[in-house]
Amino acid sequence: MFPSACIRFSARRSAFHGASAMRWPGLCMRAMQLGMIVVALESAGTAAIAARATTVARDTPDETGATHARQDGAALHPAAPVSAGQGGATDGSGRGFSFSTCQSHLSDDPDGTRDYAEDWEEHGGGAEAQYCGALAEMALGDVGDAAGTLDRLSHVAHWPLGEPANQGKAASPATGEKTATTAVPPVDDIAHDTPDSLRRRAHVAEEAARAWQANDSPRQALDSAAYGLRLDPGDMTLHVIHARISVDMGMAQQAISDLTPLPDDATLRVDALVTRAAANRELGHIDLAATDIASALRQSPHNVAAALECGILNERQGKLEEARANWQEVIALAPDSHEADLARQDLSLLEADPAAP
């Protein structure tokens, strides 16, 4: 039956395609043979083997035997299935997704991480999948998109377990469609969240603030940091970030308020001292600023931000050689850093007008 069907169909094709249709009988026969093999395999109860035979050879199983196919040939290996309430999801085949798996390739394969996050979101990953995707966008340099996503996610109540607050339950989407998230929750919704979720959301707000800073959007960065502090008022990292942005926006007194008292953590304390020094400098309190910078450099002698600020303070006091030495040290310690770029600018200005304080 199958061979005769190929012959009849190839005869009809030859009327339209001429000599190019002469190869059709052979191709058709091979296709029919393959079909009969598949039928035989299914009838023998080995459909899974036939399906596995179609898997691209470059998919590499992990220690559990699970694989996640990727176009570039490197596999992201999902962990064992995790319930959706724990930040995991499974597709119809039982393949597991998890945030830890998504994040594990972030540094060496951000493209693949974004693909994984999108796939996970299509299978119900929700806020966790979107969060991982935003971190991948950050790593790829798409800081504006990442900042918007991170800021929105920080407003999702009861996250990662809940739905966005103030949002009605939408009709379930068809398989393969993405679930949309909307709406910023009202302020009083914070009172009904869990402590763990509030801390998690505050951390996401911190990452949103950093992303907005990288996007040169200080107003949005300040708003994200302020919202994070509303979620977790005791988060000292957010206090330092909020203070740093406040200095950049000309709100030096606000920065000093943010940093009173100073954080206990040693590393964070150095950042806070440098930021408070910049705020006091803006307010004209040079002696207070110099005291903070001296303390920061005692705790972290090779801190480039402290050395940069020390140079600015020395210049303000007319100590031009000391300022030059500070900025040259910044360039030597971290030549590719933002602080080094600023130090080069300061050196250029100093060379153009060496007598100016």
Side-chain angles (χ1 to χ4, degrees):
M1 174 181 174
F2 291 154
S4 60
C6 284
I7 293 169
R8 289 195 302 272
F9 189 76
S10 63
R12 289 196 298 270
R13 282 177 56 88
S14 64
F16 295 98
H17 299 280
S20 64
M22 295 302 293
R23 297 187 332 182
W24 175 255
L27 292 173
C28 184
M29 289 292 289
R30 285 195 293 272
M32 292 300 180
Q33 290 168 356
L34 180 58
M36 287 187 286
I37 292 171
V38 171
V39 170
L41 287 171
E42 289 176 345
S43 65
T46 57
I49 297 175
R52 180 56 186 161
T54 64
T55 302
V56 179
R58 61 175 175 261
D59 290 355
T60 305
D62 63 7
E63 56 272 9
T64 66
T67 60
H68 182 209
R70 292 253 318 287
Q71 291 182 351
D72 61 1
L76 282 171
H77 305 305
V82 183
S83 68
Q86 295 175 318
T90 59
D91 65 10
S93 67
R95 185 181 65 204
F97 295 90
S98 72
F99 182 78
S100 59
T101 300
C102 191
Q103 196 179 30
S104 64
H105 287 257
L106 183 60
S107 60
D108 62 340
D109 187 9
D111 272 314
T113 299
R114 182 167 58 182
D115 291 344
Y116 180 97
E118 290 174 353
D119 191 14
W120 183 14
E121 187 178 354
E122 289 176 357
H123 290 95
E128 290 283 280
Q130 294 167 39
Y131 180 32
C132 188
L135 296 180
E137 287 178 337
M138 276 285 289
L140 290 166
D142 299 333
V143 290
D145 290 342
T149 300
L150 291 167
D151 184 72
R152 175 173 54 77
L153 289 173
S154 71
H155 289 80
V156 176
H158 307 291
W159 187 63
L161 301 181
E163 295 291 332
N166 227 17
Q167 173 181 294
K169 197 73 174 178
S172 299
T175 303
E177 292 182 356
K178 293 186 178 181
T179 303
T181 56
T182 61
V184 172
V187 173
D188 62 357
D189 188 74
I190 294 173
H192 304 290
D193 219 327
T194 65
D196 285 344
S197 181
L198 288 173
R199 283 190 292 269
R200 178 76 179 277
R201 289 168 59 192
H203 178 68
V204 177
E206 173 198 325
E207 291 175 309
R210 294 183 190 277
W212 286 126
Q213 283 182 292
N215 195 53
D216 196 22
S217 304
R219 170 51 61 185
Q220 291 92 328
L222 191 70
D223 289 345
S224 288
Y227 185 73
L229 285 171
R230 200 159 70 196
L231 295 169
D232 187 2
D235 189 319
M236 292 309 299
T237 299
L238 274 167
H239 276 285
V240 174
I241 292 173
H242 192 270
R244 180 73 259 176
I245 302 168
S246 296
V247 171
D248 293 340
M249 295 185 68
M251 299 184 294
Q253 192 59 57
Q254 174 61 54
I256 292 173
S257 298
D258 283 330
L259 301 174
T260 305
L262 290 169
D264 294 327
D265 178 80
T267 301
L268 202 56
R269 190 180 183 87
V270 170
D271 292 342
L273 284 166
V274 174
T275 301
R276 193 170 70 176
N280 275 315
R281 169 172 55 80
E282 290 294 324
L283 292 170
H285 303 154
I286 302 301
D287 289 343
L288 291 175
T291 299
D292 278 345
I293 284 300
S295 179
L297 287 171
R298 279 195 301 271
Q299 295 179 51
S300 181
H302 302 299
N303 185 284
V304 292
L308 177 69
E309 183 63 34
C310 187
I312 297 171
L313 291 171
N314 278 327
E315 183 193 28
R316 287 288 184 92
Q317 298 173 85
K319 302 175 183 177
L320 303 186
E321 288 306 314
E322 288 89 339
R324 182 180 286 106
N326 292 141
W327 295 331
Q328 289 172 342
E329 180 186 14
V330 170
I331 296 169
L333 288 172
D336 298 324
S337 66
H338 176 62
E339 289 81 3
D341 290 339
L342 295 176
R344 291 186 186 97
Q345 294 174 27
D346 289 335
L347 283 170
S348 296
L349 292 172
L350 189 61
E351 295 305 324
D353 190 4

